[in-house]
Each structure stands twice: as structure tokens, then as C-alpha cells.
Amino acid sequence: MSLNHVRPWRDIYRRKSRRIMVGNVPVGGDAPIAVQTMTNTLTTDVAATVAQVQAAAEAGADIVRVSVPDEASSKALKEIVRESPVPIVADIHFHYRRGIEAAEAGAACLRINPGNIGDEKRVKEVIKAARDHNCSIRIGVNAGSLEKHLLEKYGEPCPEAMVESGLEHIRILQDNDFHEFKISVKASDVFLSAAAYQGIAEATDAPIHLGITEAGGLVSGTIKSAIGLGNLLWMGIGDTIRVSLSADPVEEVKVGFEILKSLGLRHRGVNIISCPSCARQGFDVIRTVEALEHRLEHIKTPMSLSIIGCVVNGPGEALMTDVGFTGGGAGSGMVYLAGKASHKMSNDQMIDHIVEQVEKKAAELESTQEAAE
Ligand code: SF4
């Protein structure tokens, strides 16, 4: 259940899944929905990859995935894992050796499909390496790379084929008494993804990694992911998410968090409520919000801020936010604290002033939380 249980129309009942560990991050059960991204640097360029992992972690990523296409990347992975502030998932395709090397290099999880890495002996070797190194596995079914026998059976990628593929990979792990796995059934088509995820959610209790694959650029990919992931999360499906964008991994993390924040499933940083602005605005809302988004990026404590152009909606929104500003006349507006009108502030100084007020409120919330722990 979400934290919004005092308002039942906001409740989301999460599907009950098993909990596994990806390094020190729990995934599944009642663990917070983990946000992931993936690096796009050359894995062999350790400095660039570590910098990208750190930037993603700073933006809130709980887990970061790194491609391991060759032996040199396996070697680099070891250093990346050592430097990373978050668990690293090694992305492996077909090469069972890379899977073993990645587990030995300290990967917290292998993204590998056990049905695609060769004979039983190889599968057993990879599973043994994962077990020996406390490494979980993500089965990653993708509509674009379904097994030939399933395409022949079903004629085209469809939800049933994706679920069957997932269950075949799951069976291999279970037959080897390996249960630390999660699963994804991704497609670039929102309908296909959503139907496949609903099918797999019913067929297994494994934790689910959600994603709409190859979703597109920043704007179109964000919308596609918000619709696809948003609907599934709303149904209670999904234990970890990755938003795939043709954009900086930091953007993927920000979008992932915004989707979870919109549904009240996770909270991080300042949630800015702002109006679109119109001729009634008492100050430049758009420019102010842009500046504040940038100036408040360092705040990690969940809190809310309303920036509203005029009194039509300003006082009402301010009632429900920690800090608020509503445009007035004659070059100044009203500052609200904890929902109450507090003092006037001139438009010229309001950005600095709001940053100060938000920082003060964040420090207050942090110390209350520390005292409660
Ligand atoms: S709150 Fe005021 S300024 Fe903002 S869009 Fe509404 S009427 Fe316009």
C-alpha cells in the first residue's frame, strides 16, 4: 500500500513478489521500487563509466547497469564495481564466459537469459558463478529477440510468446535451485509490453523489472514510458524500473523518479507544483520554475513547493505545500510557509529567498527524521 492510505482513492496495492537482493538493494516484496539506468560509455573507459555511474547515483539511481560485451569489459567491470556507490548489473548477451567473469568481477546482478547461453553445462557454470559471488540474475525477455521456436509457434511477438519465453528461462534457473532472480518482458510497443507484464505478473512471484524498451528521445520516450510504466505501476505491478531514453542516463533517472513521484510510490527532492502561467501572472512563472528546478537539484529530502502566478490558484495550492509563492501586484508576491500566508517578497529577490526557505525547511525535516530514528 502507498503512503497515501488516508485517501483511499490514491491507494496502490502492490503485487506480492518475492524479495531478492541486488547487492545491498532489496528488490521486490515491500522494498521501495528501485530506479535503474544504464551507462552508455565504453565500459573499457573506466573513468568515463565511473563518472556516469556517479552522476546517475547522485540523481537518485539505486542500481546501474553496464554492458559487458568482451573480456576487456569484464576486466574494467572489476574497477567500476570498486568505484561505484551503487550496485552494478552486468549486461550479458549470449556469452556464458562473460557471465562468469562478471560475477567474479563483483557484479551484483547479471542480466542474462539462461536459455540463450548454450548447453546445460554452460548454464550450470554461470549459475554456480552467480551463486558463489552472491550475484542475482535478471531474465530479460525482449519482444525483438524472442526465441525462434516461439516465433514459429505464435507467428509474431505477442504477450503469450513473451510470457512463455520468460517462464522457460525461469524454469532453467529453478531446475538448478537458483531463486535469486527477477524478470522483465520488454517491448517498444506500449500495449504489447503492458499485456506481457500483466501475464508474467500472474504467472510468477518473481520480482518484476519494468521498462518500455527503445522508448525514444527525451520527450517522446518520457511520454511512452509514463503511459506504459505508469499504468502497470498503478495496477501494482513492478518492483524496479528503468526508463529507456535516447538521452543522458541522468535524464532516465529523473524521469523514473517523476513517474514514481506522480503515483506517490516514492518521494525524493522538491516536488514543484507550478501553473502554466497566463496574462494574469504577477511574475515570470516559467523562468522562475526553470531557475528553481536547477537551484534545488541538491535537495534530496521529499518536500513540496508551489509556484503559482496569481491568486486564482495560488493560495489553494499553497495550502497543501511546505513552501509556496503566489504572484501579487506591484512587483511582489506572497510567501506561504506550511500552508499559511507568511510574508510579502519582491519579485526581484524571490528566487534566492525561496531557495533559502526550501533549504531551511529541508534541514528541519531532516533533523525531525533523524530524531525519530
Ligand atoms: S494561476 Fe493565475 S497566472 Fe497561473 S495560469 Fe492560473 S490564472 Fe494564470
Side-chain angles (χ1 to χ4, degrees):
M1 193 189 287
S2 75
L3 295 173
N4 294 319
H5 54 273
V6 287
R7 298 184 181 90
W9 37 271
R10 280 185 176 166
D11 286 347
I12 290 179
Y13 295 93
R14 278 179 69 188
R15 159 185 170 267
K16 289 198 181 353
S17 58
R18 271 185 298 113
R19 196 182 87 151
I20 67 161
M21 294 302 288
V22 175
N24 59 0
V25 174
V27 173
D30 56 6
I33 296 171
V35 176
Q36 308 199 21
T37 185
M38 187 168 178
T39 54
N40 56 23
T41 46
L42 273 178
T43 303
T44 45
D45 186 343
V46 173
T49 306
V50 167
Q52 215 171 49
V53 171
Q54 281 168 341
E58 189 54 34
D62 302 294
I63 298 167
V64 176
R65 180 157 48 118
V66 172
S67 264
V68 186
D70 47 32
E71 202 180 340
S73 300
S74 302
K75 290 211 171 84
L77 189 70
K78 197 168 186 174
E79 289 179 59
I80 295 163
V81 166
R82 201 182 311 132
E83 302 282 320
S84 172
V86 292
I88 297 290
V89 179
D91 194 79
I92 316 283
H93 287 275
F94 308 112
H95 296 284
Y96 86 108
R97 266 263 128 228
R98 299 291 91 76
I100 296 170
E101 288 162 5
E104 288 170 354
C109 179
L110 304 179
R111 187 274 192 205
I112 195 167
N113 289 346
N116 301 347
I117 52 175
D119 61 23
E120 213 185 311
K121 188 170 161 275
R122 290 183 168 185
V123 172
K124 282 192 187 310
E125 279 184 54
V126 173
I127 294 175
K128 181 178 182 310
R131 203 189 319 270
D132 288 352
H133 295 89
N134 263 338
C135 189
S136 50
I137 288 179
R138 168 163 65 99
I139 294 168
V141 173
N142 197 308
S145 55
L146 276 175
E147 292 77 14
K148 215 166 139 229
H149 72 279
L150 291 171
L151 285 176
E152 277 163 12
K153 179 174 171 185
Y154 289 97
E156 62 170 9
C158 61
E160 293 78 11
M162 292 171 71
V163 172
E164 196 166 324
S165 170
L167 294 178
E168 284 177 3
H169 294 298
I170 285 180
R171 208 164 304 125
I172 296 173
L173 295 181
Q174 287 174 333
D175 287 350
N176 284 279
D177 201 22
F178 189 91
H179 306 282
E180 283 288 298
F181 62 85
K182 56 195 168 104
I183 185 161
S184 61
V185 282
K186 297 188 184 183
S188 57
D189 178 87
V190 171
F191 296 103
L192 180 53
S193 282
Y197 272 113
Q198 286 175 72
I200 204 76
E202 278 176 25
T204 172
D205 67 349
I208 287 180
H209 166 117
L210 284 188
I212 302 294
T213 196
E214 293 122 24
L218 183 57
V219 174
S220 54
T222 296
I223 293 169
K224 224 168 160 182
S225 298
I227 293 172
L229 271 53
N231 271 296
L232 288 161
L233 290 163
W234 202 329
M235 285 180 221
I237 296 171
D239 300 291
T240 176
I241 65 169
R242 188 246 172 142
V243 172
S244 301
L245 300 175
S246 306
D248 192 304
V250 164
E251 300 297 336
E252 294 191 349
V253 177
K254 285 187 188 167
V255 172
F257 258 101
E258 288 304 325
I259 292 173
L260 294 176
K261 275 156 78 174
S262 306
L263 291 168
L265 287 164
R266 278 203 66 186
H267 304 273
R268 181 183 201 273
V270 184
N271 186 21
I272 301 182
I273 289 144
S274 59
C275 76
S277 80
C278 72
R280 287 199 182 88
Q281 64 182 351
F283 63 99
D284 187 336
V285 174
I286 294 177
R287 195 188 58 81
T288 303
V289 170
E290 268 171 18
L292 286 170
E293 275 182 346
H294 179 64
R295 298 263 316 259
L296 297 172
E297 263 178 356
H298 65 294
I299 306 279
K300 298 188 173 71
T301 308
M303 58 179 291
S304 53
L305 167 67
S306 55
I307 301 294
I308 309 290
C310 78
V311 292
V312 170
N313 289 326
E317 290 294 351
L319 265 183
M320 293 177 280
T321 50
D322 294 306
V323 177
F325 184 84
T326 295
S332 70
M334 180 62 75
V335 176
Y336 292 77
L337 299 176
K340 293 198 177 67
S342 172
H343 52 275
K344 277 193 159 184
M345 179 52 55
S346 74
N347 290 351
D348 304 348
Q349 290 163 27
M350 61 91 108
I351 292 180
D352 285 342
H353 184 70
I354 289 169
V355 170
E356 256 171 52
Q357 294 297 327
V358 169
E359 285 174 343
K360 209 166 118 190
K361 183 72 192 174
E364 198 183 301
L365 290 168
E366 280 159 27
S367 63
T368 316
Q369 202 182 339
E370 270 165 30
E373 280 167 4

